[in-house]
Amino acid sequence: MAMDKLSVLFVGFGMLGDFFRPYGYQRTILGSAASLVLRGHDATILELMWKEAKPFTTHIELLVEGRKVKVRLIRAVFRRHEKVASRHGLFFYVDSVRTRLSRELEELLLSSGPDYVICGGRIPWFLSRHIARAAGAKLLLRPPKVELMDLPGWAHEGLSASAWMYAMFLYTVPLAHMSDWVLSVAPPDERLLRRFLVRRITTVEPTYVSLCE
């Protein structure tokens, strides 16, 4: 039986690199989007940036399983209002809750009629929830990692680093419960979240693809 064609929107935080030189979790998002397109679905990536960058809308060509596929990429750029806000700071998360899309950009995203909105991490979760509600779509949380799995390696950084990792994990748990589903990237992460009664969760291991020249 053929699966109905779906439209999936990935919402993620832009990193120091960019999707034209992807690394780490950016490659995971690209691979996930490309895999969906390969199977006949539509995939759009909304990259949220809070630094000096230019917004744009384009299509990127990816190579997956020996075939070329195109994924739509939209970059939205916002400005930080707090000088103390940093990528790893509390104010950054608070400010991210207040982030709003322009009317034009929101209409552009809703025009694709997303069936699923996949949030790649904690920072864009509230914005992803707004898009999902406006589109009548399901909201999926895909945290790049669960920090407590890295706690032994961070112990030498001191109490403040360990406390921050615990706080971020405890922030992830309620977001997981408020989402329609959670996509874990590793079985240990799934087992840990299940201990905190996260039941709507599935592990989907990363798929990596390469950009076409």
Side-chain angles (χ1 to χ4, degrees), residues 13-23 26 47 49 51 53 75 87:
F13 172 69
M15 301 181 187
L16 294 178
D18 58 53
F19 277 104
F20 298 104
R21 297 188 300 274
Y23 69 96
Q26 288 175 313
E47 182 187 35
M49 302 286 286
K51 62 177 184 178
R75 172 178 289 172
R87 178 180 169 190

Side-chain angles (χ1 to χ4, degrees), residues 145-192:
K145 66 176 181 178
V146 177
E147 280 78 1
L148 289 188
M149 303 304 297
D150 296 334
L151 188 57
W154 280 75
H156 69 281
E157 297 290 339
L159 180 61
S160 60
S162 299
W164 177 253
M165 297 187 72
Y166 270 110
M168 289 300 95
F169 172 72
L170 293 177
Y171 184 32
T172 300
V173 171
L175 296 184
H177 281 288
M178 290 187 291
S179 302
D180 292 300
W181 206 268
V182 178
L183 300 176
S184 168
V185 297
D189 290 356
E190 178 180 341
R191 290 194 293 269
L192 182 58

Side-chain angles (χ1 to χ4, degrees), residues 21-52:
R21 297 188 300 274
Y23 69 96
Y25 194 57
Q26 288 175 313
R27 295 183 63 202
T28 302
I29 296 300
L30 284 176
S32 300
S35 296
L36 288 171
V37 175
L38 186 65
R39 287 156 180 77
H41 305 300
D42 291 327
T44 299
I45 298 172
L46 173 62
E47 182 187 35
L48 308 177
M49 302 286 286
W50 283 274
K51 62 177 184 178
E52 294 296 329

Side-chain angles (χ1 to χ4, degrees), residues 18-123:
D18 58 53
F19 277 104
F20 298 104
R21 297 188 300 274
Y23 69 96
Y25 194 57
Q26 288 175 313
R27 295 183 63 202
T28 302
I29 296 300
L30 284 176
S32 300
S35 296
L36 288 171
V37 175
L38 186 65
R39 287 156 180 77
H41 305 300
D42 291 327
T44 299
I45 298 172
L46 173 62
E47 182 187 35
L48 308 177
M49 302 286 286
W50 283 274
K51 62 177 184 178
E52 294 296 329
K54 292 183 178 181
F56 59 75
T57 299
T58 188
H59 283 82
I60 53 178
E61 196 169 58
L62 303 166
L63 184 64
V64 54
E65 297 182 11
R67 294 175 54 186
K68 293 181 179 180
V69 299
K70 287 186 177 181
V71 173
R72 190 182 194 185
L73 173 61
I74 301 173
R75 172 178 289 172
V77 181
F78 306 94
R79 182 175 298 175
R80 293 286 102 184
H81 298 292
E82 296 285 347
K83 292 183 179 180
V84 294
S86 66
R87 178 180 169 190
H88 300 289
L90 176 61
F91 285 98
F92 188 88
Y93 287 90
V94 173
D95 205 14
S96 299
V97 172
R98 303 200 304 260
T99 298
R100 296 292 183 271
L101 297 176
S102 67
R103 178 178 298 179
E104 294 77 12
L105 179 54
E106 184 171 342
E107 290 178 352
L108 176 63
L109 295 172
L110 296 180
S111 67
S112 64
D115 300 289
Y116 295 93
V117 176
I118 301 179
C119 174
R122 296 174 293 262
I123 294 173

